[in-house]
Amino acid sequence: SRPQWLSFGTGRNPTAMAWLLLLLLGVSLADEAQQSCHLLQTNSQWRKKGQRGQRADLGAVEQATNLSEPVADKSKGICVPKLSEEEIKAPIEEVVASYGEDGWCTYGFLGGWASECALGRRNREAKSFAKEFEPMYQKYLPDGPKPKTEVTLKFLENQSLTIRDHLYPLDDLYCYVNGWYSLDRDQLVNNFTYLEEMSEKSCNHLETTMPHYHKVSMQTMLMESAVDGGVLFEIMNGPTSGQVPDHIVHGMYVHAAAKCLLRGGGRGAVCDIANCAARGCLRGKELLYTQRGECQKLT
């Protein structure tokens, strides 16, 4: 059957829907007791109090439409103060074209995952973007819950990946499914031209194979991240192996497509690819982690 690229399982997985509702009820974007540690995919926050991970995927949408004192600062990778609800729901490609700026900067107000990439693209270097996430990875990858428990994800036709990220496993599947863990790690982080070339190859593939590629919106991406992240979190904190539904795997392509579309005009680097390289490395079907000292440190 044809992949349902833009359907994220809320009608098929009650647990995922419940997780999403908890997000809507529990997300806080208050500045108190927070430090700006944004996860690779979304405007997630790391709360200092109790060192608890706090997902803020859908809170980013609320932030986008309800900022009380919006400030745009291109020197910080933020080209517009905020976007309207209609713009958050509109195709990324159309929104980026209407502002005439780098899409990563247009959406930069949503968090460091966007604004830091805007700066990296402007300066033609990816190392600073990858370093942005190191403090967070240092907190939960070496000493997080179940730090030594391996879980094997099984998906599509006889594919598998063994990982140990119990807090935000979406990063691992996202990088793996899109083929980014199989590229030259050092070149991705330290050779911006190579990063651009690999980004172009990946994005061209998605554009030619993914239905509705040009219709992906920021709301689409944030909803995908929230729902898919909930399903994967449940799998990681359950049995030692779990089957990943096909629509969750397809969500990884949707997420990559959104990042490709942020490039504006379909050109340039996708910073996430460099972060994947800095984050970990493959040993067969097992993912190893830089913060555990298992991969060469590139930043």
Side-chain angles (χ1 to χ4, degrees):
S1 62
R2 188 177 185 181
Q4 298 299 308
W5 293 94
L6 299 184
S7 135
F8 310 120
T10 53
R12 308 178 219 184
N13 190 310
T15 304
M17 175 58 82
W19 196 86
L20 178 58
L21 291 175
L22 285 174
L23 282 174
L24 289 168
L25 293 172
V27 161
S28 171
L29 292 176
D31 290 331
E32 290 185 21
Q34 293 192 30
Q35 65 186 60
S36 182
C37 284
H38 304 280
L39 291 178
L40 174 61
Q41 317 299 342
T42 58
N43 190 39
S44 299
Q45 305 288 334
W46 187 273
R47 297 180 65 107
K48 285 182 179 178
K49 185 176 181 180
Q51 298 300 316
R52 298 178 60 190
Q54 182 80 5
R55 292 297 308 280
D57 304 336
L58 302 183
V61 177
E62 181 181 353
Q63 181 186 23
T65 56
N66 293 292
L67 287 175
S68 58
E69 297 181 6
V71 176
D73 187 344
K74 289 187 179 182
S75 69
K76 295 181 180 179
I78 304 173
C79 286
V80 298
K82 67 175 181 177
L83 296 175
S84 68
E85 182 178 351
E86 290 73 20
E87 288 171 319
I88 293 295
K89 294 178 179 179
I92 291 173
E93 190 172 54
E94 295 179 7
V95 176
V96 173
S98 70
Y99 282 91
E101 301 281 357
D102 181 10
W104 294 88
C105 193
T106 300
Y107 290 89
F109 67 96
L110 288 177
W113 66 266
S115 60
E116 289 298 324
C117 183
L119 295 177
R121 283 164 55 85
R122 184 183 306 162
N123 298 324
R124 294 188 57 77
E125 61 88 22
K127 183 175 290 189
S128 60
F129 177 83
K131 285 182 71 68
E132 175 81 2
F133 304 97
E134 285 185 358
M136 177 190 61
Y137 291 152
Q138 287 170 354
K139 286 185 179 294
Y140 80 83
L141 280 176
D143 301 310
K146 301 182 181 179
K148 296 181 180 179
T149 303
E150 297 179 346
V151 175
T152 299
L153 305 179
K154 300 176 182 178
F155 49 94
L156 299 180
E157 296 182 3
N158 300 317
Q159 292 196 48
S160 66
L161 177 67
T162 299
I163 65 176
R164 285 172 286 171
D165 186 338
H166 289 260
L167 180 62
Y168 197 58
L170 189 149
D171 278 357
D172 290 341
L173 188 64
Y174 170 64
C175 295
Y176 182 80
V177 164
N178 284 288
W180 299 337
Y181 278 137
S182 300
L183 302 175
D184 187 314
R185 296 179 64 239
D186 182 71
Q187 288 292 300
L188 287 174
V189 175
N190 296 300
N191 184 340
F192 199 77
T193 298
Y194 178 78
L195 176 60
E196 289 179 317
E197 292 172 351
M198 294 302 101
S199 298
E200 194 71 18
K201 182 177 179 180
S202 181
C203 293
N204 285 344
H205 175 73
L206 288 170
E207 183 177 16
T208 57
T209 60
M210 178 181 159
H212 313 301
Y213 173 88
H214 295 281
K215 297 298 183 181
V216 174
S217 68
M218 184 55 63
Q219 183 185 56
T220 300
M221 190 195 82
L222 296 175
M223 288 290 288
E224 171 275 318
S225 186
V227 175
D228 292 356
V231 173
L232 291 170
F233 182 88
E234 181 181 277
I235 292 173
M236 285 300 296
N237 292 281
T240 55
S241 64
Q243 186 70 37
V244 179
D246 286 357
H247 66 273
I248 299 297
V249 178
H250 296 153
M252 303 303 101
Y253 300 128
V254 172
H255 202 106
K259 299 302 179 66
C260 288
L261 291 164
L262 285 173
R263 300 179 306 157
R267 299 290 179 182
V270 175
C271 301
D272 288 5
I273 303 178
N275 189 61
C276 292
R279 171 184 168 84
C281 59
L282 286 176
R283 181 175 64 191
K285 294 295 183 179
E286 178 186 7
L287 183 66
L288 307 179
Y289 299 91
T290 303
Q291 292 302 327
R292 294 178 182 271
E294 299 167 339
C295 306
Q296 178 185 359
K297 188 170 171 33
L298 302 174
T299 58

